């Protein structure tokens, strides 16, 4: 089933909004991470444990950008301990979402209900394993929690899923480091210090990963319908949920 143009635009707008959410949140509420840090600091020794739970829930649900929690972890605990807590929470949330999808939807739901192109993507995930998951996790346009749900509904194995998801941790470390430097605001080039270059590095790495992912998806989805899958040279996004 091919989605109508309006549905395609709505889907693209949703993906774009989710990808831009961390930057928008930083601009509109640059002190949100500072407020969270202050609240957690008031809790004393329980603060890190609560922070871990919050990070896990955010990674599992995607209701708010995880970058803010990473910044709070850096500000509260420093770069090393903060990253350990945030990384453990992120991986825990990712594994929870994967387990729920695998239990409720099953390992072949993506192929059974997604049409030929998602079946082709499912086959590529099974064949390439952690390498394709890694590329997906590096791209900032792929919202973390919905991606975890989709991967749980695919035939990718738990080991490959977990290994590929580790690729999300370098960007998380960058946000933790920003919090440790006291530079959690949303203005990318507000100064010339290391925090701004770190932000720019994260965005640049994400842009490169996105280009590579789009090229890889183009080849995978193009093979699903040979000869007419890519009219006018455009990525066939309309059938992603066919």
């Amino acid at each position: 089933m091919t989605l109508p143009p309006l549905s395609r635009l709505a889907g693209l707008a949703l993906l774009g909004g989710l990808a831009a959410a961390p930057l928008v949140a930083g601009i509109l509420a640059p002190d949100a991470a500072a407020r969270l840090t202050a609240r957690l600091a008031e809790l004393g020794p329980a603060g890190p444990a609560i922070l871990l739970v919050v990070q896990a829930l955010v990674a599992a649900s995607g209701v708010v950008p995880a970058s803010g929690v990473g910044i709070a972890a850096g500000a509260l605990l420093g770069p090393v301990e903060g990253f350990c807590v945030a990384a453990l929470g992120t991986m825990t949330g990712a594994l929870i979402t994967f387990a729920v999808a695998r239990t409720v939807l099953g390992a072949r739901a993506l192929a059974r209900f997604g049409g030929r192109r998602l079946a082709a993507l499912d086959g590529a995930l099974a064949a390439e394993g952690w390498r394709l998951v890694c590329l997906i996790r590096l791209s900032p346009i792929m919202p973390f929690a919905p991606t975890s749900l989709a991967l749980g509904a695919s035939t990718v194995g738990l080991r490959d899923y977990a290994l590929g998801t580790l690729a999300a941790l370098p960007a998380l470390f960058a946000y933790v480091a920003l919090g440790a430097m006291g530079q959690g605001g949303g203005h990318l080039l507000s100064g010339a210090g290391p925090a701004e270059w770190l932000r720019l590095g994260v965005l640049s790495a994400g842009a490169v990963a996105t280009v590579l992912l789009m090229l890889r998806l183009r080849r995978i989805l193009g093979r699903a319908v040979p000869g007419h899958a890519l009219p006018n040279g455009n990525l066939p996004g309309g059938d992603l949920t066919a």
Side-chain angles (χ1 to χ4, degrees):
M1 181 180 66
T2 301
L3 294 175
L6 186 59
S7 297
R8 298 184 192 183
L9 290 175
L12 289 173
L14 178 60
L15 282 175
L18 289 170
L23 182 60
V24 173
I27 293 173
L28 297 181
D31 61 338
R35 291 201 302 268
L36 177 60
T37 303
R39 289 288 184 88
L40 291 171
E42 294 172 358
L43 298 175
I50 293 175
L51 186 64
L52 189 153
V53 173
V54 170
Q55 182 74 27
L57 291 175
V58 167
S61 64
V63 292
V64 295
S67 57
V69 186
I71 291 171
L76 180 67
L77 303 173
V80 177
E81 186 180 354
F83 173 70
C84 290
V85 170
L88 181 59
T90 296
M91 294 301 296
T92 300
L95 291 173
I96 289 172
T97 306
F98 181 87
V100 169
R102 185 58 55 93
T103 301
V104 175
L105 300 176
R108 291 195 56 81
L110 199 67
R112 285 201 306 268
F113 307 116
R116 285 177 294 182
R117 290 174 182 165
L118 282 188
L121 177 59
D122 184 67
L125 283 167
E128 300 183 28
W130 66 269
R131 293 180 293 275
L132 186 53
V133 177
C134 176
L135 200 57
I136 291 171
R137 289 304 197 190
L138 285 171
S139 173
I141 72 166
M142 304 299 290
F144 193 88
T147 298
S148 300
L149 188 66
L151 291 171
S154 75
T155 52
V156 69
L158 175 60
R159 174 181 172 274
D160 287 330
Y161 172 80
L163 286 175
T165 298
L166 292 174
L169 298 186
L172 177 63
F173 176 76
Y175 287 114
V176 172
L178 288 172
M181 287 187 281
Q183 298 288 331
H187 303 288
L188 178 61
L189 293 175
S190 57
E196 285 66 39
W197 288 110
L198 188 55
R199 287 194 187 95
L200 186 59
V202 170
L203 291 177
S204 300
V208 171
T210 298
V211 171
L212 294 176
L213 177 62
M214 292 299 101
L215 291 174
R216 187 72 192 98
L217 290 179
R218 179 186 176 87
R219 288 194 293 270
I220 293 170
L221 301 181
R223 287 199 299 265
V225 188
H228 57 83
L230 299 172
N232 301 323
N234 294 323
L235 182 67
D239 288 353
L240 284 178
T241 55

